[in-house]
Amino acid sequence: MTTSLRETILQLFRSTPTGFVSGAQISRTLGVSRTAVWKQIEKLRELGYCIEAVPSKGYRLMQSPDVLLAEELSAGASGQLIGCRIRTLETTDSTNLQAMALGDAGAPEGLVVIADRQTAGKGRLGRSWISPGGVNLYLSVLLRPPVLPAAAPQLTFLSALAVCRTIEDVSDLQPQVKWPNDILLGGRKVAGLLNEMSSETDRVNHVVLGIGINLNVMRAELPTQVRYPATSIAIETGRPVSRLEFTTLLLRRLDELYAAYLVEGGRPLLTAWEAYCELTGQMIEVDCQQRRIHGQMAGIDDDGALLVKTSAGVERILAGDVRPARR
Ligand code: BTN
């Protein structure tokens, strides 16, 4: 209820040509008392909205903060499924954990969970994802794709494409992908993807697409003990990225790619992903479980497994860490 009051007030501000909305007008539109209006204005100010009050004219929204508020995101969402329902959290353990639990509880497909900060952000292979507040994007999307469990890993490529296209939407940067779940800028990791699934032998209950993107974190704040050098979009462009704009565009990209995937299947996603992969044809090293494989990256197969041409033949790899080979 409170959320929709704030949403309506923000909509009133956006739609008034003069920018001024009187307390009486808000109170009439919302059907609540002037005191209730004042409380909501105060709440918006606490959230960082700069709202001036001018006697006999009313309230005017001077500046919106770069907070990820469900009502602001929903106002910008144009998709059919992904982004129609958004849950934003100031702090949570992990948006993936939250989205998986919501999936178990029967939440609808397309639900998006976003946190300003994570205290137990999860990376791939049991690693952690450092998630400071106020700067980056931590988001999980709940899906219920009508596919067999073996095909679900294809959705990692959907997330990767959505992230790459959104980076292109907001900058002149040229993102690259690194199998299986990294997005790079100039050879440094800017985003990581972690898909999790609840399934039975022949049926997917739900999949959560987890996406973590370094948007505004600065070089000095980047973790130093990382397996792969990291960066952020702001470091690469030299200017801050609006989290609100980036998230809105990302949700649109995810929605359009998922709509296409439901009709066309996963192959077009894999083909489009390969166009962002600079390591195809290059000599690479892959650390997988107890061994290191050296060879030429030959591409990915229809299930998204990595194909590496070695002296012993083509190896099909399902999980591992890829690096360009040392010369
Ligand atoms: C990786 O590169 O190892 C994957 C990192 C995935 C991080 C994102 S942040 C949002 C979502 N919630 C999590 O706990 N993890 C993913």
Side-chain angles (χ1 to χ4, degrees), residues 93-97 113 118 120-125 127-129 131 137-140 181-182 189 191-194 196 209-213:
D93 44 7
S94 149
T95 54
N96 266 31
L97 282 175
V113 181
Q118 296 183 120
K122 300 201 306 174
R124 209 167 52 96
L125 305 175
R127 296 170 191 149
S128 55
W129 185 256
S131 312
L137 178 58
Y138 318 112
L139 165 157
S140 299
N181 67 334
D182 293 347
K189 179 158 169 171
L193 315 168
L194 178 67
E196 297 189 77
L209 312 186
I211 304 177
I213 309 174

Side-chain angles (χ1 to χ4, degrees), residues 188-239:
R188 292 173 171 266
K189 179 158 169 171
V190 69
L193 315 168
L194 178 67
N195 286 8
E196 297 189 77
M197 173 166 67
S198 155
S199 68
E200 289 154 36
T201 317
D202 53 359
R203 187 181 107 100
V204 171
N205 297 324
H206 55 268
V207 175
V208 163
L209 312 186
I211 304 177
I213 309 174
N214 291 340
L215 292 183
N216 292 312
V217 66
M218 294 318 290
R219 205 180 295 281
E221 296 151 50
L222 283 170
T224 44
Q225 299 295 318
V226 285
R227 297 174 67 88
Y228 211 82
T231 192
S232 69
I233 297 182
I235 292 172
E236 298 300 320
T237 58
R239 57 187 160 78

Side-chain angles (χ1 to χ4, degrees), residues 282-283 285 324-327:
Q282 306 287 312
M283 295 306 289
E285 289 174 1
R326 294 187 199 108
R327 288 163 206 273

